[in-house]
Amino acid sequence: MTTNKIALVTGANKGIGKEIARQLGAGGFTVLAGARDAERGELAVKELVAEGIDAVAIQLDVDDPASVRAAAAKVGAAYGRLDVLVNNAAIIPAGDDAVSRIDGGVLRAAFETNVIGLVEVTQAFLPLLRTAPAARIVNLSTSLASFAQVGDPESRMSTVETLGYNSSKAAVNMVTVMLANELRGTGILVNGADPGNCATDMGGWDAARTPAQGAAVAVQLATLPQDGPTGQVYAEEGRLDW
Ligand SMILES: NC(=O)c1ccc[n+]([C@@H]2O[C@H](COP(=O)([O-])OP(=O)(O)OC[C@H]3O[C@@H](n4cnc5c(N)ncnc54)[C@H](OP(=O)(O)O)[C@@H]3O)[C@@H](O)[C@H]2O)c1
């Protein structure tokens, strides 16, 4: 049985999630790399293990409650606790669009994965997080969920017409705040991480930031000291305005 701290990252088979897993692993965590597709998860883990990281693939589709329950049972049986949960898995659904045009099913799909999936994963792992001495929960957010930025006509964020993504991530921010309130005094800190626009399948390959740069703020929030903040969203530059 490992004496390392245990971190689970959802959607860790590529992009920013894989980089978060890599950086936590390099920092001495045993990383459980969540992937909805078991094969893609194993491929990513192979890469991390080759770099000397203690990584284990775990099948976890945030949209599938049975898969979430099974993953939590596996982690419980293998480690008996969870020190860090990074809720990274998310989608911009195909057909995401402006308020006047978006199809209801597309909006529903965004909330299914980005909000309901995230909440169900958090609920499933909360007993194991409570068992750890000082657990940390990090929910990936975005400046597209910031009312201040999207509401500023001068901001580039005001021009991005993806209601499904923006509004589901704004809901994730509320999850972060409410869970932080619920867990205040337990030693568990809950924060949101905005990676900035990074070159990934989601962010577009022409984005200025690397996934590694984007991962750094999430890793910092996953390793906060006991007197660290809770119920906030941070980007590299500091606290993000709601
Ligand atoms: N890239 C950016 O510019 C940017 C900016 C702000 C915030 N973010 C946030 O950062 C996080 C990572 O984004 P990214 O750019 O790395 O995206 P990405 O490259 O598209 O990767 C998303 C990851 O989530 C997984 N995923 C999607 N649906 C899932 C489900 N139902 N169950 C389990 N895993 C699922 C994907 O798995 P598959 O490979 O199986 O699809 C993939 O591993 C997201 O929360 C995103 O909103 C990104």
Side-chain angles (χ1 to χ4, degrees):
M1 167 97 48
T2 178
T3 54
N4 290 352
K5 287 187 172 179
I6 315 296
L8 168 65
V9 183
T10 65
N13 54 287
K14 67 177 183 183
I16 295 166
K18 186 165 79 177
E19 285 303 323
I20 295 171
R22 176 176 277 129
Q23 290 178 25
L24 286 173
F29 280 81
T30 292
V31 281
L32 311 178
R36 59 178 156 181
D37 181 288
E39 227 168 278
R40 286 200 286 268
E42 292 293 351
L43 272 178
V45 159
K46 217 173 158 185
E47 188 183 317
L48 297 177
V49 167
E51 295 169 14
I53 288 165
D54 187 22
V56 178
I58 185 156
Q59 196 280 332
L60 203 171
D61 181 341
V62 307
D63 290 344
D64 175 2
S67 142
V68 172
R69 276 196 303 274
K74 262 189 214 158
V75 175
Y79 307 102
R81 69 175 206 285
L82 183 65
D83 297 282
V84 165
L85 170 64
V86 182
N87 282 311
N88 166 81
I91 56 165
I92 300 177
D96 208 348
D97 211 338
V99 180
S100 64
R101 292 187 300 266
I102 192 170
D103 175 80
V106 172
L107 184 55
R108 210 166 283 124
F111 273 79
E112 191 64 51
T113 301
N114 297 354
V115 187
I116 298 166
L118 178 147
V119 169
E120 289 184 341
V121 167
T122 305
Q123 289 173 342
F125 284 93
L126 208 44
L128 293 172
L129 291 157
R130 287 185 189 275
T131 303
R136 304 287 178 257
I137 300 172
V138 182
N139 296 328
L140 270 285
S141 185
T142 165
S143 38
L144 288 170
S146 162
F147 291 88
Q149 293 199 33
V150 176
D152 174 2
E154 302 300 315
S155 165
R156 193 178 65 79
M157 301 307 151
S158 70
T159 67
V160 182
E161 297 187 306
T162 49
L163 177 68
Y165 183 69
N166 298 15
S167 61
S168 62
K169 286 291 187 174
V172 167
N173 286 350
M174 185 56 81
V175 172
T176 299
V177 172
M178 289 187 66
L179 186 61
N181 287 342
E182 217 182 319
L183 296 177
R184 217 175 285 281
T186 65
I188 304 178
L189 304 177
V190 190
N191 289 287
D194 170 17
N197 191 203
C198 301
T200 65
D201 284 345
M202 181 187 284
W205 290 98
D206 54 351
R209 289 166 65 74
T210 65
Q213 286 173 312
V217 65
V219 170
Q220 216 178 339
L221 294 168
T223 53
L224 283 174
Q226 207 44 53
D227 61 351
T230 192
Q232 309 290 341
V233 179
Y234 287 90
E236 191 176 74
E237 319 74 78
R239 212 178 77 71
L240 204 68
D241 283 339
W242 299 120

